């Protein structure tokens, strides 16, 4: 991590602030897909020099389970460790609130994300077959491969 702790903070987005769709759309293909979860989720933003450069979105599933529905870092700040910081922050918040499991889903061709999530303690737990074919209007490609199935990863807290 190249930032000093004094230079950044992670906080919940306030109700009167605009939903940062620009960042959300880095992690999810369409506004329609985001609108399916955003109104009953909590948005946490990473702020540096009073500018929001990254975020993650938490959705409670039940008393024991909570899910990261979206995680995104502005392009020019990727690869500097902010994604790892966000995943740790989400784990800490979920643990403090008494949840037992933290979930995150990603595409079968999302190599970087699959690596990062496993590095941060998540384990593959199930595959939702054809998720990206059935739920999006057009094919999505990553690393030269069409996304088909969603890989769900789980972290025990
Ligand atoms: N293959 C494997 N590993 C890679 C690759 C690659 N092609 N590219 C980078 N990495 C590694 C990096 O080396 C680094 O690992 P290291 O710390 O061991 O060196 C790691 O991946 C990235 O770690 P961070 O720097 O902490 O992550 P970053 O700040 O870039 O955030 C994120 C990761 C959120 C995935 C970011 O890249 C992003 O916003 N991407 C676009 C949106 C996106 O895909 N979001 C996730 C969708 S799934 C969901 O939202 C639930």
């Amino acid at each position: 991590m190249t930032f000093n702790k004094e230079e950044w903070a992670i906080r919940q987005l306030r109700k009167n602030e605009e939903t940062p769709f620009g960042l959300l759309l880095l992690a999810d293909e369409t506004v329609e897909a985001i609108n399916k979860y955003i109104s009953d989720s909590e948005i946490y933003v990473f702020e540096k020099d009073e500018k929001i450069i990254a975020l993650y979105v938490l959705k409670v599933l039940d008393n024991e389970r909570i899910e990261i529905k979206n995680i995104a870092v502005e392009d020019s700040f990727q690869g500097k460790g902010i994604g790892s910081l966000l995943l740790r922050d989400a784990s800490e918040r979920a643990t403090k609130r008494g949840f037992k499991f933290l979930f995150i889903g990603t595409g079968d061709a999302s190599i970087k994300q699959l690596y990062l999530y496993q590095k941060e303690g998540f384990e593959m737990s199930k595959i939702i077959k054809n998720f990206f074919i059935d739920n999006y209007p057009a094919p999505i490609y990553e690393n030269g491969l069409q996304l088909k199935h969603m890989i769900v990863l789980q972290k025990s807290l």
Side-chain angles (χ1 to χ4, degrees), residues 33-50:
I34 294 166
N35 281 338
K36 283 185 188 158
Y37 57 79
I38 205 69
S39 59
D40 43 354
S41 297
E42 305 153 23
I43 303 176
Y44 292 89
V45 293
F46 180 102
E47 230 174 11
K48 186 177 177 296
D49 302 329
E50 293 177 30

Side-chain angles (χ1 to χ4, degrees), residues 60-155:
V60 173
L61 303 177
D62 58 35
N63 287 344
E64 293 204 323
R65 304 178 310 141
I66 189 161
E67 180 177 350
I68 299 173
K69 298 293 292 185
N70 188 305
I71 179 167
V73 178
E74 207 174 85
D75 285 332
S76 57
F77 287 95
Q78 288 177 15
K80 298 177 188 295
I82 297 174
S84 294
L85 266 175
L86 294 178
L87 291 167
R88 286 176 211 161
D89 189 79
S91 287
E92 281 166 23
R93 279 180 210 271
T95 304
K96 279 190 194 137
R97 287 165 61 180
F99 291 98
K100 299 271 183 287
F101 302 102
L102 178 60
F103 288 86
I104 193 162
T106 194
D108 48 358
S110 305
I111 310 299
K112 172 179 167 179
Q113 293 82 344
L114 286 168
Y115 164 74
L116 176 63
Y117 303 158
Q118 289 177 93
K119 199 177 76 160
E120 289 302 326
F122 290 81
E123 287 181 15
M124 292 189 200
S125 65
K126 73 171 179 182
I127 297 177
I128 306 178
K129 286 272 191 185
N130 297 318
F131 179 87
F132 293 97
I133 294 171
D134 294 343
N135 288 283
Y136 291 86
I140 306 168
Y141 290 88
E142 267 184 50
N143 302 306
L145 293 172
Q146 185 180 354
L147 294 193
K148 290 182 184 162
H149 317 304
M150 180 187 276
I151 312 290
V152 180
L153 299 98
Q154 153 182 338
K155 182 174 180 179

Side-chain angles (χ1 to χ4, degrees), residues 1-43:
M1 182 66 191
T2 53
F3 301 121
N4 295 321
K5 179 73 185 91
E6 305 80 53
E7 292 176 349
W8 58 269
I10 299 173
R11 63 166 178 88
Q12 189 166 5
L13 192 77
R14 291 181 285 272
K15 291 241 176 329
N16 61 349
E17 289 179 284
E18 249 177 64
T19 305
F21 273 103
L23 275 170
L24 291 166
L25 282 164
L26 291 178
D28 217 332
E29 211 64 19
T30 63
V31 172
E32 289 68 33
I34 294 166
N35 281 338
K36 283 185 188 158
Y37 57 79
I38 205 69
S39 59
D40 43 354
S41 297
E42 305 153 23
I43 303 176

